Amino acid sequence: MDVFMTENGAVRGFRAADEVVAVLGIPYAAPPFGPHRFRAPAPAAPWEGVRDGTAFGPIAPQSAELPGAPVWSPGDEDVLTVNVWTPAPDGGRLPVLVWLHGGAYTFGSSAQPDFDGTALARAGLVVVTLNHRLGFEGFGHVPDGSGTAAEGTAGRTAAEDAAPPHPDNRGLLDQIAALRWIRDNIAAFGGDPGRVTLAGQSSGATAVACLMAMDRARGLFHRAVVHSPASPFHTRDIAAATTREIAAAAGRPATAEGLASATPQALVAACDRVVDAYRRDPASGSRHYDPSLFAPVLDGDTLPADPLAALAAGAAREVDLLVCHTTEEYWLLDAVGSCAKITTDGELARFAEDFGLPADLVSGYRSALPGASVPDVYLTLFGDLLFTEFGNRLAEAHAGAGGRTYLSRFDRRRGGAEGGDGPAVRAWHCADIPFAFGNLADDRLSFLVGGAPTAEDHALSRRMVRAWAGFAATGDPGWPPAGDASGRAVRVWRPGDQPAASLPTPPRTLWEKVGFPVLRP
């Protein structure tokens, strides 16, 4: 019987493969609703008997419907759960890889088919994925001044107990609670709590960077993998202004009591209305182009400093870091219709103005991309603004403070103008993850990878799986770290039969006048 004993009770998993057991939907904290709503995570209740762990737990409130993934249903509350894949059900001390999903802090879940941990477990890892609060429930600012702290917050420090009753960055606090659960329970699944790698993509990658900067996460993980970290952060003023917009759309006062009187479903719907208003209004500023309402809040408490400043000061010098980005990040957002279309030079100039970018940045991209269309310049520039440049600066900050840092980029494309069968697929945002997890053959991911994978694709995936497994086990993904004298410090992931990217890479010197992280609504 594949039964494991956690601190809260026994749980039964199932054979995901002959040599891998999966255990799904294990609570790591109490449902964050009722008396626990808008609060720091509280401990999960123990259970009697053997809990069934053969299905994913409910996902966090959201309106997204993603291919192959469950949807949220009003009334689903037990959303703070972890999933474990282990190749050592009878015991062991294997390295652990913990995954934080992306989704603009608003949508997504650990149940997406990209994140099945079976292949990585076969490579010798204990894999943990998790759900946490999203949207307003997880990242919305709730004004202080009412309520008292929830009782029974497990593992919290005195400083945490003295924190505001409705802290910012509740989604990050959930992730820390999950890491504490892993520290206390993963040995029962054959994992080594002293060799934990925290990995994430997009907003999940930025969450990893935030946790590297947070004292309350210190010692809970030992290596970090960030793929395509997103650059936006919010000040408390930006977060408070966003709360006022959402409260107005929900027809509630922008107070703790008023927000708590709106159901999770009502707040999800209100957020969707605010996003739609930005999307429809070209004069609404930077949020018009990609209307994401939430980001980590630099509140001076839960997140006392932005990760760039913290890493540069050596806050996580002891944590090995692996940074990756895709070479055509923003083409995915264009393909799925989540960003504004820019087709003229005037619109491109307005875009730069709305983000406070210097005019010579746009002209520099024009010069670096001769013959490129306005949409291609825009997508390249936007991808570098939101993902690539921020990831590069995280790597530089960490390496500059003495942290061991590895760099890579994903450049696999398929079809369309590049030749081959199937639709045109760029080396776009999210395309690297099925390869790194070893799940690229899943039909539900065909949009990301462009149809059935080739033999060269499978070979690329095996190399990426080995790199993650090696990094988690030893801190070495298989190539030299940044600063190595060999000049081979950036690993480029592409199939052996594919040429380099069709568009050149604009020089990073163009970004010298631009401050990061991006502090704009």
Side-chain angles (χ1 to χ4, degrees):
M1 291 178 60
D2 297 315
V3 175
F4 303 83
M5 181 59 68
T6 74
E7 289 190 338
N8 283 336
V11 61
R12 177 185 294 109
F14 66 97
R15 290 277 163 173
D18 287 344
E19 65 275 39
V20 176
V21 173
V23 192
L24 310 180
I26 310 169
Y28 67 83
F33 301 99
H36 301 302
R37 195 177 184 201
F38 304 147
R39 312 280 184 161
W47 58 84
E48 299 291 334
V50 179
R51 183 184 179 98
D52 179 67
T54 59
F56 290 107
I59 69 173
Q62 59 189 276
S63 60
E65 298 183 8
L66 302 177
V71 299
W72 177 68
S73 298
D76 286 348
E77 293 195 345
D78 200 2
V79 301
L80 301 183
T81 59
V82 296
N83 317 294
V84 182
W85 286 261
T86 177
D90 298 321
R93 299 287 282 186
L94 296 177
V96 180
L97 185 134
V98 183
W99 179 252
L100 305 181
H101 69 80
Y105 312 99
T106 303
F107 61 89
S109 76
S110 62
Q112 293 170 229
D114 325 28
F115 313 144
D116 184 287
T118 303
L120 285 169
R122 282 177 171 147
L125 303 179
V126 174
V127 180
V128 182
T129 65
L130 61 105
N131 290 342
H132 56 83
R133 281 174 283 185
L134 300 169
F136 195 89
E137 302 293 329
F139 291 91
H141 174 73
V142 178
D144 296 331
S146 66
T148 57
E151 296 181 357
T153 45
R156 285 160 54 82
T157 65
E160 290 173 279
D161 287 334
H166 309 107
D168 289 319
N169 302 309
R170 295 177 295 279
L172 299 181
L173 299 181
D174 291 345
Q175 294 161 6
I176 292 172
L179 287 169
R180 288 171 174 162
W181 183 94
I182 291 162
R183 177 195 62 195
D184 297 339
N185 292 278
I186 204 64
F189 298 85
D192 182 353
R195 282 194 295 170
V196 175
T197 296
L198 185 61
Q201 186 264 348
S202 195
S203 59
T206 305
V208 172
C210 289
L211 268 59
M212 292 176 72
M214 296 170 67
D215 285 342
R216 64 190 76 194
R218 193 79 61 229
L220 294 175
F221 61 98
H222 314 91
R223 300 184 179 104
V225 177
V226 296
H227 277 230
S228 305
S231 62
F233 283 73
H234 287 172
T235 64
R236 292 198 77 175
D237 287 345
I238 292 172
T242 300
T243 290
R244 291 192 292 271
E245 292 182 85
I246 294 167
R252 295 289 196 273
T255 63
E257 296 92 339
L259 293 161
S261 72
T263 65
Q265 183 180 20
L267 289 184
V268 168
C271 290
D272 287 346
R273 287 193 289 273
V274 174
V275 164
D276 188 61
Y278 278 111
R279 202 180 298 281
R280 292 172 179 272
D281 183 5
S284 58
S286 59
R287 264 194 184 147
H288 165 68
Y289 301 93
D290 187 359
S292 297
L293 299 183
F294 302 104
V297 180
L298 300 173
D299 64 345
D301 177 27
T302 57
L303 188 57
D306 78 79
L308 281 178
L311 295 190
R317 187 181 294 113
E318 74 284 358
V319 175
D320 298 331
L321 177 63
L322 171 58
V323 178
C324 184
H325 66 84
T326 69
T327 57
E328 297 167 306
E329 294 274 8
Y330 221 78
W331 268 263
L332 176 72
L333 289 303
D334 180 64
V336 300
S338 70
C339 67
K341 300 288 186 182
I342 297 296
T343 59
T344 69
D345 286 322
E347 291 172 338
L348 185 60
R350 176 66 178 271
F351 161 80
E353 180 182 346
D354 284 340
F355 274 96
L357 302 176
D360 58 0
L361 181 63
V362 176
S363 61
Y365 266 64
R366 276 299 212 178
S367 298
L369 303 170
S373 66
V374 170
D376 279 354
V377 174
Y378 161 65
L379 294 174
T380 304
L381 178 58
F382 209 175
D384 289 350
L385 171 66
L386 289 193
F387 302 110
T388 308
E389 180 62 17
F390 181 60
N392 286 332
R393 293 196 187 192
L394 280 174
E396 289 171 348
H398 191 58
R404 189 162 59 167
T405 307
Y406 296 89
L407 301 170
S408 61
R409 59 178 178 261
F410 183 82
D411 187 42
R412 181 264 189 189
R413 288 159 285 109
R414 183 178 183 185
E418 303 298 332
D421 298 327
V425 170
R426 299 270 191 166
W428 53 26
H429 199 59
C430 301
D432 48 338
I433 302 308
F435 285 81
F437 267 86
N439 294 328
L440 68 163
D442 192 310
D443 290 343
R444 296 169 293 181
L445 304 175
S446 60
F447 172 76
L448 281 180
V449 302
T454 66
E456 288 283 354
D457 289 332
H458 282 294
L460 173 61
S461 178
R462 288 192 293 272
R463 294 197 299 273
M464 294 181 71
V465 167
R466 283 198 300 270
W468 270 19
F471 181 71
T474 68
D476 183 357
W479 64 90
D484 182 84
S486 69
R488 296 180 289 107
V490 179
R491 173 59 53 90
V492 178
W493 298 116
R494 68 169 69 99
D497 59 351
Q498 177 191 286
S502 55
L503 289 175
T505 302
R508 289 192 57 217
T509 53
L510 294 172
W511 290 94
E512 289 177 347
K513 299 178 183 177
V514 180
F516 281 81
V518 176
L519 296 175
R520 299 181 72 84

